[in-house]
Amino acid sequence: MATKLPANEFEDRLERVRDRLAETDADAGVWFGATSIEYLTGFDHIQTERPVVLAVTADRIEITVPRLEVERVSANSRIDAVHHYDDYPGGQPIRTVVDMLEGLSVDRVAADSEGAPGTMGYQGPPLTEFVSVETQGWASRLRWEKSDAEVDLIRESATWANLGHRYLADYTEPGAHPATASQRASADASRAMLDALGERYVPRTRGDGPVSAGYIAGEQTRLPHGHTANRRLEEGDALITGATANVDGYRSELERTMFVGEPSDEQAHYFELMLEAQDIAIEALGPGVPIAAVDRAVRNYFEEQGVADLAQHHVGHNIGLGGHEPPYIDRGWGDHCESDHTSYDADDAAMRPGHVWTIEPGIYTETDGYRHSDTIAITEDGIEWLTHYPRDLESNVVPVE
């Protein structure tokens, strides 16, 4: 079982961005985004009002952090030098970054943005006031196609997501509160995961466990991003569940539509329509398949069934270090790649080995929502299911005594 990304993954990523750097007039690649910094170096942090900025040259890797991150980042052997500033707003983050770049003899940079994002109220000068900046999305684009090692971590995540979901189903009954049932399932699955993996588990959470499992119930399910209502479960409720696990920063996605007690004929009808739509999407997946075609196949089915007006979102998205990553399974993706507003090209409009997709077409009526989500990897010759929780109606009915 894979629990940690091997060191050679970072070496390969850094080599690839340095190759891109060599194709430009820039002296350094610069990243403000927390996920890109983690992807390139393995240093993970919570993006706040305190900017963290990574600089990569042909032979050096240096980073600027707030004082409170110095001890954590100093343990990272991939980073050659750490620069820090006093806490914002008393310190001067961008001035410290400029000093770092001057020490590297950098005049021009290729950066993922023109300055630090305004997270949690941060306001500071853009880097463009001090050096010449051209923007790039190198690290973000590299993340689309996962390596075998990355897929291994997502596969491990799916294993524990499946367990979390099983606990969730076991703790679901009339009278249970969705919030406490979710917390109980998450805690018990996390305990099992930590007991099984022991010291092999890479710490990735602050207080919470590595497994998260929960659901929304009743009328909240008609909202794709509904909330956990403050009421107890009742017989007849529809549930939309969600389970995942954090394995060295990588996640999977498992969602199911369930029912407390036997569903009504209407609920069973819409469940089967949703399940068939997911089948259609999954059967359409594969290397070289136009991404937009998968969404169109589902939409065509919904139109044939007269429920297209009940679909509120695209079929799926990539997943990995981020819960949502491009590409997106949307009928407009191919057109999007040809737009003057993106850096994507025609090759980016097709599925490739290493893509890891969530497949989650949904139907939302005036009273209930219906959505499964499974995590599926594209391989050289087909697909690999990573989540394995039962999908049929009978397996997703919670018996009521």
Side-chain angles (χ1 to χ4, degrees):
M1 57 184 67
T3 59
K4 183 178 177 60
L5 205 64
N8 63 353
E9 287 284 309
F10 297 103
E11 296 167 5
D12 177 66
R13 295 168 184 179
L14 289 164
E15 180 181 357
R16 292 169 74 183
V17 298
R18 280 172 164 148
D19 288 343
R20 296 296 299 271
L21 178 63
E23 297 172 358
T24 73
D25 295 328
D27 305 307
V30 168
W31 286 269
F32 292 93
T35 305
S36 290
I37 292 171
E38 177 179 1
Y39 182 77
L40 293 175
T41 68
F43 172 61
D44 65 288
H45 70 283
I46 300 172
Q47 196 147 23
T48 68
E49 77 282 4
R50 308 171 178 100
V52 172
V53 186
L54 178 73
V56 177
T57 68
D59 56 3
R60 296 280 293 178
I61 302 173
E62 301 194 7
I63 197 167
T64 292
V65 298
R67 174 60 188 86
L68 59 80
E69 294 284 14
V70 170
E71 282 73 21
R72 291 186 65 246
V73 74
S74 295
N76 189 308
S77 61
R78 298 179 192 92
I79 297 174
D80 299 308
V82 177
H83 307 260
H84 74 271
Y85 57 88
D86 291 339
D87 214 346
Y88 176 81
Q92 296 183 323
I94 298 304
R95 180 68 257 175
T96 307
V97 172
V98 172
D99 290 344
M100 173 179 71
L101 295 175
E102 289 177 349
L104 290 167
S105 300
V106 168
D107 296 316
R108 296 173 57 86
V109 303
D112 61 349
S113 67
E114 294 184 349
T119 306
M120 297 184 181
Y122 170 78
Q123 295 184 34
L127 192 58
T128 51
E129 288 190 11
F130 304 95
V131 296
S132 176
V133 177
E134 61 178 281
T135 57
Q136 47 82 5
W138 302 336
S140 297
R141 181 59 187 81
L142 287 178
R143 287 166 51 204
W144 291 17
E145 290 88 25
K146 276 69 178 176
S147 67
D148 290 344
E150 290 177 289
V151 175
D152 282 345
L153 296 179
I154 300 172
R155 187 182 295 111
E156 185 70 12
S157 169
T159 296
W160 298 106
N162 287 337
L163 178 64
H165 201 286
R166 173 53 58 195
Y167 278 125
L168 189 67
D170 289 345
Y171 301 153
T172 299
E173 61 184 359
H177 197 292
T180 54
S182 300
Q183 291 166 355
R184 184 183 176 194
S186 300
D188 285 356
S190 292
R191 183 180 299 111
M193 180 177 178
L194 293 170
D195 286 347
L197 299 183
E199 293 182 355
R200 287 174 295 167
Y201 183 74
V202 179
R204 280 289 183 172
T205 58
R206 299 176 67 192
D208 296 330
V211 181
S212 174
Y215 45 60
I216 55 177
E219 288 193 355
Q220 284 293 320
T221 64
R222 65 188 176 87
L223 307 171
H225 285 176
H227 296 291
T228 302
N230 185 19
R231 73 165 181 82
R232 297 183 181 276
L233 298 179
E234 301 173 358
E235 186 173 356
D237 276 345
L239 312 173
I240 292 184
T241 69
T244 189
N246 188 328
V247 180
D248 203 13
Y250 287 81
R251 296 180 181 274
S252 57
E253 181 175 287
L254 168 63
E255 296 176 349
R256 289 292 180 265
T257 300
M258 303 184 74
F259 301 98
V260 182
E262 290 298 321
S264 67
D265 290 344
E266 178 178 315
Q267 288 174 324
H269 170 69
Y270 284 117
F271 180 97
E272 295 297 346
L273 289 178
M274 173 274 296
L275 186 61
E276 178 64 19
Q278 196 194 29
D279 283 338
I280 288 169
I282 293 169
E283 289 170 4
L285 302 177
V289 171
I291 294 170
V294 179
D295 190 88
R296 283 196 296 269
V298 170
R299 184 162 293 272
N300 289 342
Y301 171 72
F302 282 158
E303 289 175 350
E304 291 170 2
Q305 300 300 318
V307 295
D309 59 320
L310 303 182
Q312 299 184 23
H313 53 75
H314 50 216
V315 163
H317 54 81
N318 245 308
I319 191 169
L321 280 176
H324 281 226
E325 298 181 350
Y328 299 97
I329 301 182
D330 187 282
R331 67 190 185 281
W333 184 259
D335 296 335
H336 183 65
C337 292
E338 297 174 359
S339 168
D340 293 337
H341 302 294
T342 75
S343 60
Y344 310 144
D345 58 29
D347 289 342
D348 295 323
M351 295 189 169
R352 297 183 180 181
H355 286 180
V356 179
W357 297 102
T358 69
I359 306 299
E360 48 180 322
I363 299 174
Y364 305 89
T365 72
E366 293 183 356
T367 55
D368 296 313
Y370 305 83
R371 183 179 72 247
H372 282 359
S373 182
D374 281 282
T375 303
I376 296 178
I378 304 298
T379 65
E380 292 289 344
D381 55 4
I383 65 172
E384 178 189 356
W385 289 70
L386 301 181
T387 44
H388 294 287
Y389 197 87
R391 300 164 58 237
D392 63 285
L393 178 59
E394 182 179 0
S395 298
N396 286 283
V397 173
V398 178
V400 175
E401 297 179 358

